[in-house]
Amino acid sequence: MSLRSDQENDQATARRPARSTRLLAAAVLPLLFALGACGSRPETGALDVAVSDAVGAVEHPILVATTRARDARPGTYFGGERSPGLDFAAFTISVPPRHASGEIEWPTQEPGDPKTEFVVRDAGYLPREAEFISELNKRLAQKPKGQRKALLFVHGYNTMFAEGLFRFAQIVHDARSSAVPVHFSWASHGKLSDYVYDTNSATAARDRLEHVLRLMAASNADQINILAHSMGNWVTVEAIRNIRIKGDAPGKGKLGTIILAAPDIDIDVFKSQMRRIGKPAKPYLVVVSADDRALAASRFLAGGKARLGDDLNAAELTALGAVVVDLTALHGDDATNHDKFAQIADVAPELATVLGKGIGRSGGAVADAAEKISGEAPSVLALPAAIVGAPIRILAGR
């Protein structure tokens, strides 16, 4: 019987993390690249305008601010290349009468059938920033005073322009949102292999998003809510950090609910960002899931460091001023479990109510709001809820 030397044992131990990382890569990356290769994606032509009507279809007008370069191909408007400045546009997206919550019924052939598919009913560029602001105020003016809310959506990694736009329309529709929707679209290539390009595009877009937030704060909006997904959270938190550093926060009191869904941010970077920003007046809503395969791949690419969206250390996150929504037990409709946030959009108003009134504090208003989700009185640290037939957990600090 031969015994290994201490040095050999140390070397074997040192190899274990590397082996685990290789196993993660072997399990996760082929899946993601296979997903990227299957099915057709709306790179061009998906935004052709449909002229036919459909009884029961619901139209959602959406304003767009983007750092993408214009794309001259018909029905495309913006591609994946970067623009040196901001551009603006306006679209109206129609959702079919028999739409399934959480889904996007993509056109099988452009411009699509409004009876059964998402289609574009109106589209066009806005030539200048002034037109964007004017259109935003015009739409806000259609709401009662005191209820003039705007909802800003920031998409994630590997997202083509039409994909982000249609996803936002789905969220607005399923959440039954009455806010004026504004989509900030940064220059993602829409390719799984271009993670580094997307990361750099997101970083380059943070100053532009800060500018859009300042424009919206200077508008006639009473409240501005933000929903960011995946890598879009990096852009969002960095923009808020920029504003905090400058010390001239615009539209004081206008910033409402901030939802960070499946955030692709290094957990240590987020801690650093939050230390600079400070504990927010209203806690951020951080949507996490331990089985998010896209974030597992991101974690591998980042050298094994946890991402905010798959970190389940609730005590640590709530101490930073977050309410954590754990969707691990919710069955995802996509193979990567990265888009679970879209499945709970139809309860977003209730989630926003809980967040706005301070989940985790004692008081009837909090309990009443929480019961809209769960039918149960909340505890301080855990609130079970049934969403789309599956449980979620809402975790908050004392």
Side-chain angles (χ1 to χ4, degrees), residues 63 65 96 160 265 287 368 397:
L63 291 173
M160 296 177 183
I265 307 176
V287 182
D368 291 345

Side-chain angles (χ1 to χ4, degrees), residues 213-398:
L213 283 171
R214 291 180 180 277
L215 290 178
M216 294 177 69
S219 75
N220 296 330
D222 297 316
Q223 187 179 84
I224 301 163
N225 300 314
I226 302 173
L227 169 62
H229 178 233
S230 185
M231 197 178 285
N233 288 279
W234 165 250
V235 190
T236 300
V237 180
E238 279 292 284
I240 294 171
R241 179 178 180 273
N242 283 354
I243 292 172
R244 178 63 176 171
I245 288 173
K246 293 176 182 177
D248 59 343
K252 189 174 181 180
K254 286 190 175 184
L255 195 59
T257 303
I258 299 177
I259 302 176
L260 309 180
D264 188 1
I265 307 176
D266 184 297
I267 187 65
D268 292 331
V269 172
F270 181 70
K271 293 175 190 176
S272 174
Q273 291 170 319
M274 293 306 295
R275 282 194 293 268
R276 186 68 184 200
I277 293 169
K279 198 163 185 176
K282 291 185 178 181
Y284 293 178
L285 191 68
V286 181
V287 182
V288 303
S289 184
D291 62 351
D292 189 320
R293 294 186 179 96
L295 291 182
S298 177
R299 184 170 67 248
F300 164 73
L301 293 171
K305 287 299 296 181
R307 317 313 285 167
L308 177 59
D310 63 1
D311 186 276
L312 299 183
N313 190 340
E316 193 173 39
L317 295 180
T318 56
L320 293 170
V323 169
V324 180
V325 179
D326 180 7
L327 301 186
T328 302
L330 179 66
H331 176 71
D333 284 343
D334 68 304
T336 64
N337 294 319
H338 193 52
D339 290 339
K340 287 185 181 182
F341 79 105
Q343 296 172 241
I344 60 168
D346 58 343
V347 296
E350 285 80 4
L351 288 174
T353 300
V354 172
L355 177 63
K357 294 191 176 182
I359 182 172
R361 305 187 187 108
S362 60
V366 178
D368 291 345
E371 284 190 24
K372 291 182 181 179
I373 303 176
S374 67
E376 301 178 25
S379 62
V380 173
L381 290 177
L383 172 66
I387 309 296
V388 199
I392 70 168
R393 292 191 309 153
I394 300 179
L395 309 170
R398 294 180 183 273

